[in-house]
Amino acid sequence: MTIQIPASSPTETVPPPVPSPTVVSRYAAFVAGRRSKWVVLVLWFLLMGIGGSLAAGLADVQDNDPEAWLPSSAQSTKAVQLAEQYFADKDSSTAVIVYAREGGLTQADLSRIDADRARLADKVAIGKVSAAVVSKDKVAAFVSVPLRTSPSDNKVLTDKVTEAGKLTSDGAPAGLDIKITGEAGSIADFADVYSGMDGALLGVALGVVALLLLVTYRSPVLWLIPLITVGLASQVASGVVYLLAKHAGLVVNGQSAYVLMVISVGVGTDYALLLISRYREELHRHEDRHTAMSLAVHGSLPALAASAATVTIASLCLVFGSMNSTRGLGPVVAIGVVLVFFAMTSLLPALLVILGRWVFWPVKPRVTAGYDPNSAQGHGTWAKIAGAVGRRPRAVWIGTALVLGVMALGIAGVHTGQTQAEQFTGKVDSVTGQQVLAEHFPAGSSAPADVYVRDAGAPSATAVVAKVPGVSSVSTQAAKGGWTHLTAVLRDAPDSAAAKDTVQDIRTALDGSTGPAADAVVGGQSAVALDVSEAQGDEETLLIPLILAVVLVMLLVLLRATIASAVLLGSVVLSFAAAVGTASLLFHALDHAKIDRGLVLFGFIFLVALGVDYTIFLMTRAKEEVRLRGHREGILTAVTVTGGVITSAGVVLAATFCVLAAIPTVSALQQGLLVAVGILLDTFLVRSLLVPALALDLGPRFWRPGLTPQETAPHESAKSRAEAPSTV
């Protein structure tokens, strides 16, 4: 079956549409005006001048310290506060320097370790350097060194770790292996991984998008315009985020910084593809490019605004999260989307109008008599797809739903509890050092659990903790301000599931004790990992339903159809489940089976918010077509004429998220793959097959409780369509 879309007569003169003087039409006329386009250009140049200079400082305000992400109610957060108040410099972090030699440490090695302790105490430490602890087999030893750090700038700590590494490695005996691990080593490794990635990611993302735009437009010139626009908008967004992080307390970490880059480039390019497609259509109908662009902006702005609003509001739901990292990510994404939206609907139109038709070279769109953008001509592939959906819609949606359901079965293979060793795609010193410690000492030696208890309860707390299975030893470190600091060395690695279970057992045992010991607070690296995991679970319970509610409300406002909105929301949820299941299989294939639990919420926010974008673009067009052609022909026409541009947008966005694989951390790789898989599923299965087939099978009641559109005679449809610009 081929979709036949009535076209205007070749001899028919199409009167230029005259939009009513609404806010949208005034905005469209302003950004494409003969004089006002220059005002738009100047305004953006001013923004870019300010934002570009500030964007470079974004790396300096990132905070990748895990304790800074915790909710204020977490025990590990209270432990940090007690440590800062009574026992340690608030801007300190402990590095564990591990020494090892195959065959055993020599006397020269031990002498070198003692000499290193003195140099470290003199040059980099801000407190007492511990005595060297030598393993029973004499193969390894370690010392703990408190280093200077800063709650708002991890570069300070990274520099200190680098200096400590140089002090210990320069002139070391041949064959003596030296690694820096512990909290400071881990933070420094993550900071090194993300250092400089903002610019590199932006460059790679723009390169990928440039290639795809070249293929899409087949023009050596046109691809540059949206690419330059989105790159400049990304820099302005980074500048705004920097100001908020510097002066308003917005938490920015390595993850939110690179997400800002990717989301700005990906979403911005999507919006550019839709606007330029509409502009090209109007250039075939109007000689004056200012008029053509004004109509293009007027026609596409509602759908683009609905898309941007959905992503923005859904992202802002994250401010209700319990962790600072989650609360910070929401505003960062929202800022990026909003600024990119305005850039693509103001700066991009102004640039295209200023440059004229030649940017489409070698195939410049010219005025064509009787041109009908909705003609199936030029949409051959998508006309065939729409025809196949139209012939057997029930079979199509059932088959597609079954395929997605089978993909979702892969969720059974999802396993959380990613350890530090599983967080990097390559080897780093903090992981290697931890492995050496685990081989020769109790695995928790590098990061013992910290127990803070009132002085009167210290003896009983020590006895209680020592009896907990999984605890290797307990010792008293200090007493100050009425509090005693105990350390409990765990048998298991500090970031392992077993260590987190031991911390929970310690807390349960202390809570069940009597007297002052019952008020003890347990912190440390394992406690942080436990509290983060629990906080992530709480966030999923709160934020996932909230985001779904926001998306549903946005769909109801946009479509004014309860049944359609419910169907679309259900399709997005099914698509998300299929994406998680499929991505899980990919993670196993790449030997990165375990995920950080935060990936679930990360994937959900982006796949639901971005995935519904393409459905919004399709259904906004479908709603207009249904009014003119009736339900069946309207749905099939929308699939036919939007198929190419929306598919291109989906491929570009998916490819942009794949750029995250350039970051050498497993979490970034998994984030990129999960979102890319989900977007491709939305693009090729949900939006192309599932949604239109469901809409056809449900019939006109799909649009209830709104007025059911009536079938319109073909000649009336064509005439009406020729006189009224479409929304996408």
Side-chain angles (χ1 to χ4, degrees), residues 239-289:
V240 173
V241 171
Y242 166 80
L243 288 175
L244 292 176
K246 186 74 173 178
H247 303 291
L250 177 65
V251 175
V252 180
N253 52 44
Q255 180 192 74
S256 55
Y258 68 65
V259 167
L260 174 63
M261 295 296 175
V262 172
I263 203 75
S264 298
V265 173
V267 171
T269 306
D270 276 6
Y271 293 169
L273 284 166
L274 293 166
L275 179 67
I276 291 174
S277 173
R278 187 71 184 94
Y279 178 46
R280 191 197 296 266
E281 290 181 5
E282 296 299 340
L283 287 174
H284 281 293
R285 300 170 61 184
H286 301 278
E287 186 66 43
D288 183 9
R289 65 182 187 274

Side-chain angles (χ1 to χ4, degrees), residues 65-71 74-77 79-80 183 186 323 416-420 423 447-450 490 492-504 507 522-537 595-598:
D65 186 347
E67 283 89 348
W69 301 0
L70 291 169
Q75 269 203 44
S76 52
T77 305
V80 170
E183 180 188 61
S186 178
M323 296 194 299
T416 59
Q418 198 177 71
T419 65
Q420 181 186 350
Q423 291 174 355
D450 296 307
L490 309 184
D492 302 291
D495 56 357
S496 65
K500 289 186 284 188
D501 290 341
T502 300
V503 168
Q504 186 60 63
R507 288 176 174 175
V522 182
Q525 185 176 338
S526 301
V528 168
L530 173 64
D531 291 339
V532 165
S533 179
E534 291 182 347
Q536 288 171 337
I595 67 169
D596 178 81
R597 187 166 182 174

Side-chain angles (χ1 to χ4, degrees), residues 17-42:
V18 182
S20 57
T22 62
V23 173
V24 173
S25 63
R26 291 191 184 98
Y27 180 84
F30 178 78
V31 299
R34 298 181 187 279
R35 294 186 179 86
S36 53
K37 64 190 177 190
W38 298 105
V39 176
V40 172
L41 192 63
V42 170

